[in-house]
C-alpha cells in the first residue's frame, strides 16, 4: 500500500549505499551497521513507496526500473547531506572529514604514507584512507578524493597537479660489488647478476635494460637471477648482495644513507615518467581538499626532486603548476 508521507531519509541512504556497494553485506560495512538493518530499511522503503526496488539473489542485487529511478534521487540526498556537513564545517573553520587517496604500491610504501601520517597529526579531524592499487582508477566512479597517477592522466575532466619526475637508477650493495667483476660501463652488466623489474615487460621479451646518459642510449641484454613486478623484492635482494637492481632513488634513499646500497653506472638511467596528483574538479574546494593539497604537493615534489640523480646530482626540467 502506498503512503503519502515522505520517504525515510535513513532508508534512502541505506538504499543508496546498497546501489553503490552492490550487496547488503558491503552496504552494511560502509554504514557500520548489520546486514539485517540494511535489509529492514530497504524493505520499509519499498513498503512506503508501494513498489519493488530491488531484485535479490544469493550473490548480488539488481535494481528494478523504479529502483534505478529512485537511485538518482537517493544519490542527490547523500550529496546534499555531504554538502550540508561541509558547509557546517566551513562555518566552524574545521579541517575534518573522510579523504580517500589511491596510490600505486611503491608510492604508498616509500613516499605517501609518511606524508599522510604528518597530515593526520596536523589535522586530527581528518579520516584518511589510503588505497593501494596498481591499476588505473576512476576517482569519480570509484568515490576517490585523490589519486596518484604516473605517466598519463587519461581524463581531461580531472584536475592534475604535476608532482615531479621519476627515473630508475642502477644500485648494488658494496659487498656484491667487492666480489664481482668491474662495473664501469653499461656493457659490463652482461657479466653481472641482474635483479629485473618485469612490470613493464612483455612475457615473450628478452630481458633488456635501455640506459640513457646525456642523450646517448644503450640497450643491454641482461640475464636476471630474480624477476619481480614489485620494487620491494628487488630492493631486498640488492641489499642482501644478490645483484644489481634498477630502482627509483626514493625506493633506495634510506639504504643509500646507511651505505647498504651504492649507485653504479653514474649518470646512466633507465626510463623516466611524470607523476601527477589528480582529483575531480570542485568549486569551491572543500577546506579538507585545500589542506591536503597544501601539505602533500610540496612534500611529494621535494621527495621526487631529491631522487633526480643519486650519483651526480643534476637536474630535470621544471614541471608546470
Amino acid at each position: 500500500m502506498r503512503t503519502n508521507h515522505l520517504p525515510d531519509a535513513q532508508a534512502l541512504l541505506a538504499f543508496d549505499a546498497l546501489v553503490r556497494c552492490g550487496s547488503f553485506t558491503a552496504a552494511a560495512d560502509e554504514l557500520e551497521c548489520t546486514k539485517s538493518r540494511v535489509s529492514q530499511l530497504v524493505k520499509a522503503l519499498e513498503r512506503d513507496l508501494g513498489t519493488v526496488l530491488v531484485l535479490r539473489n544469493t550473490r548480488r542485487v539488481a535494481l528494478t526500473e523504479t529502483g534505478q529511478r529512485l537511485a538518482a534521487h537517493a544519490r542527490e540526498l547523500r550529496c546534499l547531506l555531504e554538502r550540508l556537513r561541509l558547509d557546517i564545517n566551513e562555518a566552524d573553520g574545521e579541517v575534518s572529514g573522510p579523504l580517500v587517496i589511491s596510490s600505486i604500491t611503491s608510492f604508498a610504501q616509500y613516499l605517501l604514507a609518511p606524508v599522510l601520517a604528518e597530515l593526520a597529526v596536523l589535522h586530527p579531524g581528518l579520516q584518511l584512507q589510503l588505497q593501494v592499487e596498481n591499476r588505473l582508477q576512476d576517482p569519480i566512479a570509484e568515490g576517490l578524493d585523490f589519486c596518484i597517477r604516473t605517466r598519463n592522466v587519461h581524463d581531461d575532466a580531472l584536475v592534475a597537479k604535476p608532482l615531479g619526475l621519476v627515473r630508475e637508477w642502477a644500485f648494488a650493495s658494496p659487498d656484491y660489488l667487492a666480489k664481482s667483476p668491474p662495473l664501469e660501463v653499461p656493457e659490463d652488466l652482461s657479466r653481472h647478476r641482474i635483479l629485473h623489474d618485469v612490470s613493464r615487460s612483455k612475457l615473450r621479451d628478452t630481458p633488456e635494460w635501455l640506459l640513457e646518459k646525456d642523450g646517448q642510449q644503450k640497450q643491454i641484454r641482461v640475464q636476471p637471477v630474480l624477476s619481480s613486478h614489485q620494487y620491494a623484492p628487488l630492493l631486498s635482494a640488492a641489499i642482501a648482495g644478490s645483484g644489481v637492481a634498477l630502482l627509483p632513488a626514493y625506493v633506495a634513499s634510506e639504504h643509500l644513507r646507511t651505505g647498504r646500497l651504492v649507485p653504479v653506472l653514474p649518470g646512466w638511467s633507465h626510463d623516466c615518467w611524470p607523476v601527477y596528483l589528480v582529483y575531480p574538479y570542485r568549486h569551491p574546494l572543500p577546506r579538507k581538499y585545500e589542506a591536503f593539497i597544501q601539505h602533500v604537493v610540496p612534500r611529494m615534489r621535494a621527495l621526487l626532486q631529491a631522487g633526480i640523480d643519486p650519483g651526480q646530482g643534476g637536474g630535470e626540467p621544471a614541471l608546470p603548476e
Side-chain angles (χ1 to χ4, degrees):
M1 179 185 298
R2 298 175 185 263
T3 60
N4 293 324
H5 63 266
L6 294 174
D8 179 70
Q10 188 176 12
L12 283 169
L13 293 175
F15 177 70
D16 172 74
L18 177 63
V19 172
R20 288 184 292 107
C21 298
S23 72
F24 285 92
T25 299
D29 290 341
E30 176 171 303
L31 297 175
E32 298 182 346
C33 66
T34 64
K35 176 181 174 181
S36 60
R37 177 59 177 161
V38 176
S39 180
Q40 290 170 0
L41 288 170
V42 172
K43 287 180 179 178
L45 187 61
E46 291 178 322
R47 185 170 59 252
D48 286 346
L49 297 176
T51 187
V52 176
L53 303 172
V54 177
L55 301 176
R56 300 161 175 83
N57 60 36
T58 56
R59 292 189 175 182
R60 291 186 60 85
V61 297
L63 300 182
T64 63
E65 182 179 353
T66 306
Q68 293 174 357
R69 297 179 64 178
L70 182 64
H73 297 293
R75 181 174 61 251
E76 289 179 4
L77 174 64
R78 173 173 52 84
C79 292
L80 173 63
L81 294 176
E82 288 176 350
R83 290 196 299 271
L84 183 151
R85 180 173 60 182
L86 174 62
D87 288 344
I88 297 300
N89 289 343
E90 290 281 340
D92 291 340
E94 295 180 359
V95 176
S96 61
L99 279 177
V100 183
I101 306 100
S102 173
S103 171
I104 61 174
T105 303
S106 64
F107 282 122
Q109 181 175 357
Y110 298 106
L111 292 178
L112 195 53
V115 173
L116 293 183
E118 295 173 355
L119 181 63
V121 173
L122 191 62
H123 298 292
L126 288 176
Q127 302 150 28
L128 301 174
Q129 179 182 343
L130 177 57
Q131 294 186 1
V132 180
E133 294 281 355
N134 290 331
R135 63 178 179 87
L136 186 66
Q137 292 184 277
D138 183 340
I140 297 174
E142 301 186 51
L144 305 173
D145 295 296
F146 294 96
C147 287
I148 304 292
R149 283 191 180 174
T150 61
R151 300 184 184 274
N152 297 300
V153 176
H154 297 290
D155 193 339
D156 293 338
L158 298 174
V159 179
K161 283 190 173 292
L163 296 180
L165 298 171
V166 172
R167 284 188 183 273
E168 292 180 331
W169 308 91
F171 299 99
S173 73
D175 289 343
Y176 169 80
L177 294 174
K179 301 173 184 177
S180 302
L183 183 49
E184 298 174 351
V185 295
E187 288 81 0
D188 292 337
L189 288 168
S190 62
R191 297 185 293 162
H192 281 263
R193 298 168 61 85
I194 299 300
L195 310 172
H196 184 56
D197 177 11
V198 296
S199 61
R200 290 183 300 278
S201 300
K202 296 180 181 179
L203 293 178
R204 298 177 184 174
D205 284 352
T206 300
E208 293 179 336
W209 284 3
L210 179 62
L211 301 179
E212 180 177 354
K213 180 180 180 181
D214 300 330
Q216 179 185 10
Q217 290 187 341
K218 292 190 176 182
Q219 195 158 351
I220 308 299
R221 183 171 296 184
V222 295
Q223 295 295 328
V225 296
L226 173 65
S227 298
S228 176
H229 68 292
Q230 297 283 354
Y231 287 132
L234 305 179
L235 173 66
S236 297
I239 294 170
S242 298
V244 182
L246 284 174
L247 303 166
Y250 68 80
V251 172
S253 59
E254 177 184 348
H255 308 287
L256 292 172
R257 287 193 295 269
T258 62
R260 293 199 287 178
L261 287 179
V262 295
V264 298
L265 300 175
W268 290 97
S269 66
H270 171 78
D271 209 353
C272 177
W273 61 91
V275 182
Y276 302 93
L277 176 72
V278 301
Y279 52 94
Y281 175 79
R282 288 178 173 85
H283 184 75
L285 271 179
R287 285 179 62 85
K288 63 181 181 179
Y289 269 50
E290 291 180 346
F292 180 92
I293 293 169
Q294 291 171 6
H295 182 84
V296 171
V297 169
R299 283 160 178 78
M300 290 287 289
R301 284 177 175 169
L303 290 168
L304 290 173
Q305 179 71 17
I308 282 178
D309 188 340
Q312 294 184 342
E316 294 283 2
L319 292 175
E321 292 291 333

